[in-house]
């Protein structure tokens, strides 16, 4: 589950890095996908960018879009969140792995 | 000991601060018959939608200025309104700074001119303070408006015909250049007294990116 989630986030991060700023349709799709991939409500997403919730709705359906000069910082902000999520999954995975190694030793010892 | 200069933060108001924002709005609207008084749930909705902007004095952490920007999609009108500023700081011309902050934000995040949307404001006939601010910033008078008394809050001043009279102003694309030049060349991060600090908080979007966008928009006409 975590592994597939991490792959999904990594794939999205790679896609975000290749976006063409001037392509309105690509940007609109990126916003719509960001809401899903980050598992954020439109309000949380809007708050994180200091814009209004209706603004995010309009961006995601392409009715109004931000100026090209603002698209890079918006994408960077999303990427930073994606990377934080990847780090959190990695950290949780490494903690689980160490839990397993500590827990398994006494059980194995008891069996002898 | 010398007192440190005052500092003020300009920012989009989050939902959690809507109650304080409402209390500030009410304290001014209650004693000014030219201001359209908003109910608490209306201010909450503006904040929930991210359409409410304010100024907080850093030392007291109190609101000293407020306004909203709402895009009426069916009408194709983006309205900036509800400007209220604390009398205590009126000499610092916080209202002009707040309107500029909001204009720069909505023009660059919504691109109203590319979508055929007008950027407008309304002012009561007898309310000279915001009228002067709007003129200074490049808003142009469009037309007289008259709201039937039955549709307006009881606190608002009526004319002889029991209507609430006012004017509509518009911030046209041709005025964006002036806004950009002010932000780029005149705005130093200080208010008009040359001492008090004005922090324009655009979050991750940043003032530099907002300026870049405004420069481009103003050059497109």
């Amino acid at each position: 589950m975590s592994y597939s989630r991490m792959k999904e986030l990594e794939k999205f991060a790679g896609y975000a890095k290749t976006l063409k700023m001037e392509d309105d349709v690509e940007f609109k799709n990126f916003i719509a996908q960001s809401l899903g991939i980050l598992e954020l409500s439109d309000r949380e997403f809007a708050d994180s960018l200091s814009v209004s919730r209706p603004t995010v709705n309009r961006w995601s359906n392409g009715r109004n879009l931000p100026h090209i000069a603002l698209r890079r910082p918006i994408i960077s902000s999303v990427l930073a969140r994606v990377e934080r999520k990847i780090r959190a999954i990695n950290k949780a995975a490494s903690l689980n792995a160490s839990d397993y190694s500590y827990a398994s030793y006494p059980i194995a010892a008891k069996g002898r | 000991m010398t007192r440190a200069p005052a500092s003020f933060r300009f920012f989009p108001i989050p939902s959690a601060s809507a109650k304080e924002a409402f209390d500030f709005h009410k304290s001014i609207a209650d004693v000014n018959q030219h201001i359209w008084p908003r109910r608490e749930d209306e201010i909450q909705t503006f904040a929930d939608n991210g359409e409410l902007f304010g100024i907080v004095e850093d030392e007291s952490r109190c609101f000293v200025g407020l306004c909203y920007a709402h895009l009426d999609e069916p009408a194709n009108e983006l309205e900036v309104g509800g400007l209220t500023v604390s009398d205590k700081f009126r000499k610092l011309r916080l209202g002009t700074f707040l309107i500029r902050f909001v204009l720069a934000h909505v023009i660059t995040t919504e691109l109203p001119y590319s979508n055929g949307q007008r950027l407008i404001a309304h002012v009561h006939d007898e309310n000279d303070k915001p009228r002067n601010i709007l003129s200074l910033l490049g808003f142009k008078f469009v037309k007289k408006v008259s709201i039937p008394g039955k549709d307006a809050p009881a606190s608002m001043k009526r004319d002889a015909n029991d209507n609430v009279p006012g004017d509509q102003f518009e911030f046209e694309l041709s005025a964006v250049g002036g806004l950009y030049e002010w932000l780029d060349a005149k705005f130093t991060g200080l208010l008009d007294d040359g001492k008090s600090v004005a922090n324009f908080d655009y979050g991750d979007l940043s003032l530099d990116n907002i300026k870049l966008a405004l420069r481009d928009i103003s050059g497109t006409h």
Side-chain angles (χ1 to χ4, degrees):
Chain A
M1 168 79 179
S2 289
Y3 180 76
S4 62
R5 170 78 173 136
M6 195 167 76
K7 285 289 156 200
E8 183 188 30
L9 288 165
E10 283 174 348
K11 189 176 169 190
F12 184 74
Y15 154 71
K17 287 171 186 166
T18 63
L19 279 178
K20 295 183 204 76
M21 294 301 122
E22 67 281 6
D23 190 322
D24 289 350
V25 175
E26 263 195 32
F27 186 81
K28 174 194 93 161
N29 292 338
F30 168 77
I31 294 294
Q33 288 174 45
S34 297
L35 291 167
I37 202 91
L38 290 171
E39 296 171 330
L40 290 176
S41 67
D42 50 2
R43 181 193 290 181
E44 290 168 320
F45 189 78
D47 286 350
S48 74
L49 290 166
S50 298
V51 298
S52 78
R53 188 170 51 163
T55 295
V56 168
N57 284 333
R58 286 189 284 267
W59 287 354
S60 65
N61 60 35
R63 281 204 300 278
N64 283 37
L65 288 166
H67 188 271
I68 290 169
L70 302 187
R71 295 182 190 181
R72 176 63 65 197
I74 291 165
I75 292 168
S76 296
S77 176
V78 170
L79 268 174
R81 278 179 171 268
V82 168
E83 280 160 8
R84 277 201 296 275
K85 279 186 179 282
I86 291 172
R87 279 199 300 275
I89 291 171
N90 272 329
K91 193 176 172 185
S94 65
L95 282 174
N96 284 342
S98 63
D99 283 352
Y100 177 77
S101 64
Y102 282 118
S104 62
Y105 177 73
I107 292 167
K110 269 184 196 172
R112 280 183 194 165
Chain B
M1 202 165 82
T2 313
R3 191 181 160 86
S7 62
F8 300 88
R9 177 172 168 241
F10 296 69
F11 66 111
I13 298 172
S15 298
S17 301
K19 174 72 170 74
E20 292 160 270
F22 171 73
D23 290 343
F24 170 73
H25 166 77
K26 190 172 186 312
S27 71
I28 293 185
D30 276 356
V31 293
N32 188 329
Q33 58 187 351
H34 302 134
I35 292 175
W36 190 288
R38 296 288 178 177
R39 297 186 312 270
E40 187 170 353
D41 64 298
E42 290 178 299
I43 295 288
Q44 184 70 55
T45 301
F46 282 137
D48 288 347
N49 285 339
E51 298 171 330
L52 195 63
F53 299 84
I55 314 168
V56 161
E57 186 201 13
D58 287 331
E59 187 183 8
S60 65
R61 298 189 178 183
C62 289
F63 277 102
V64 296
L66 202 67
C67 79
Y68 65 80
H70 172 73
L71 176 59
D72 181 343
E73 290 190 59
N76 262 346
E77 288 174 345
L78 204 167
E79 178 165 6
V80 176
L83 177 64
T84 43
V85 175
S86 165
D87 274 336
K88 185 180 170 189
F89 297 106
R90 201 172 284 281
K91 283 184 184 167
L92 294 174
R93 309 206 325 180
L94 291 172
T96 59
F97 280 73
L98 180 57
I99 296 290
R100 282 178 173 127
F101 174 83
V102 174
L103 286 174
H105 188 278
V106 298
I107 288 170
T108 56
T109 59
E110 296 277 3
L111 301 182
Y113 302 113
S114 302
N115 295 293
Q117 293 153 345
R118 298 167 64 229
L119 216 168
I120 60 163
H122 290 102
V123 180
H124 191 285
D125 225 17
E126 296 178 13
N127 199 4
D128 287 334
K129 284 170 185 166
R131 185 184 306 275
N132 294 339
I133 289 174
L134 295 180
S135 299
L136 177 76
L137 300 184
F139 278 83
K140 286 188 178 155
F141 171 79
V142 178
K143 62 181 178 182
K144 305 290 286 180
V145 290
S146 184
I147 299 166
K150 65 179 176 57
D151 298 330
S155 63
M156 293 196 77
K157 189 167 185 184
R158 267 83 169 153
D159 61 15
N161 300 317
D162 197 36
N163 296 322
V164 175
D167 295 333
Q168 185 185 87
F169 294 84
E170 182 171 357
F171 193 82
E172 296 174 347
L173 177 58
S174 58
V176 177
L179 177 63
Y180 164 70
E181 281 165 20
W182 181 84
L183 269 173
D184 188 54
K186 293 184 181 162
F187 179 56
T188 60
L190 298 177
L191 294 173
D192 279 354
D193 65 351
K195 292 183 294 189
S196 304
V197 176
N199 172 23
F200 278 18
D201 186 355
Y202 288 114
D204 287 345
L205 300 181
S206 90
L207 179 57
D208 284 342
N209 289 316
I210 296 270
K211 284 198 289 189
L212 271 178
L214 278 179
R215 185 178 66 182
D216 185 51
I217 293 166
S218 64
T220 55
H221 57 97

